[in-house]
């Protein structure tokens, strides 16, 4: 099983390929000439961004503000650039784990390859246990980098299709069948 370990990465971002409504989401880590891209769902990006932010807030709270974690990303740490090319998917993410390494004072994000062998409902719980036979992307980020990642990922998820002003469902450029318009396109 390949382990793609970035401790620390020069760059770690969430990004997309495609038009809103049919985007593919990626996490991408780079150090030097080594580049790893993994695909995941929009909901996974949203959950990861939210959990990283919550973890950092909790670290600051528990340390009484003494942890090396900024409340906001320091200026100059924003990364608004596109994903780097070539974007070659190493694997699709299934489960993720998030931890704070208090000794090194870094956030550790682990993304495990989806387990396609899980077919039965009773095996779904087994899929949550990391399997050493699956690919793994592991990234260690300092507090400022983790805060910047969380902010960019949150903005990325929010940058999708605008919501319908009537039903709040996503608007499609080709038209939107709004349930509040009795099936007529808006």
């Amino acid at each position: 099983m390949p382990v793609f370990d970035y401790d620390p990465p020069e760059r770690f971002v969430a990004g997309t390929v495609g038009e809103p409504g049919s985007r593919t989401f990626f996490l991408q880590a780079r150090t030097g000439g080594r580049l790893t891209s993994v695909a995941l769902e929009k909901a996974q990006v949203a959950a990861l961004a939210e959990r990283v932010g919550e973890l950092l807030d909790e670290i600051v709270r528990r340390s009484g503000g003494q942890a090396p974690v900024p409340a906001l990303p320091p200026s100059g740490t924003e990364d608004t650039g596109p994903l780097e090319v070539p974007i070659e998917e190493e694997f699709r993410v299934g489960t993720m784990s998030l931890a704070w390494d208090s000794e090194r004072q870094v956030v550790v994000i682990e993304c495990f390859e989806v387990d396609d062998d899980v077919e039965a409902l009773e095996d779904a719980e087994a899929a949550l246990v990391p399997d050493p036979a699956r690919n793994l992307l592991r990234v260690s980020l300092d507090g400022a980098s983790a805060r910047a990642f969380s902010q960019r990922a949150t903005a990325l998820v929010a940058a999708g299709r605008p919501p319908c002003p009537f039903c709040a469902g996503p608007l499609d450029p080709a038209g939107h069948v709004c349930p509040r318009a009795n099936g007529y396109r808006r």
Side-chain angles (χ1 to χ4, degrees), residues 2 5 8 19 24 48 58 60 81 89 91 95 109 126 136 138 146:
D5 200 1
E19 294 297 317
T24 302
L48 181 60
E58 183 65 15
V60 169
E89 178 182 323
F91 61 89
T95 56
I109 300 170
L136 166 66
R138 181 183 304 123

Side-chain angles (χ1 to χ4, degrees), residues 29 33 41-42 80 97 111 116 129 134 144 165 170 177:
E41 298 297 322
K42 177 181 181 178
T80 58
S97 70
C111 301
D116 292 328
V129 178
R134 291 187 278 160
V177 178

Side-chain angles (χ1 to χ4, degrees), residues 3 7 14 18-19 28 30 34-36 41 45 50-51 57 83 86 102 106 109-110 113 121 133 165 169 175-177:
V3 174
D7 186 12
E19 294 297 317
Q28 194 174 70
R30 178 185 46 79
R34 193 167 64 113
L35 179 67
T36 303
E41 298 297 322
V45 174
E50 180 181 344
R51 299 293 187 262
D57 292 344
L83 293 173
S102 58
V106 295
I109 300 170
E110 293 182 328
E113 182 176 22
L121 185 58
H176 168 65
V177 178

Side-chain angles (χ1 to χ4, degrees), residues 56 59-61 63-72 74 100-107 141-147:
L56 294 173
I59 297 303
V60 169
R61 188 188 69 73
S63 72
Q66 299 304 310
V69 176
L72 296 170
W100 174 255
D101 183 337
S102 58
E103 195 171 292
R104 295 176 38 224
Q105 298 194 339
V106 295
V107 172
L141 301 170
D142 62 39
S145 298
R147 191 67 82 180

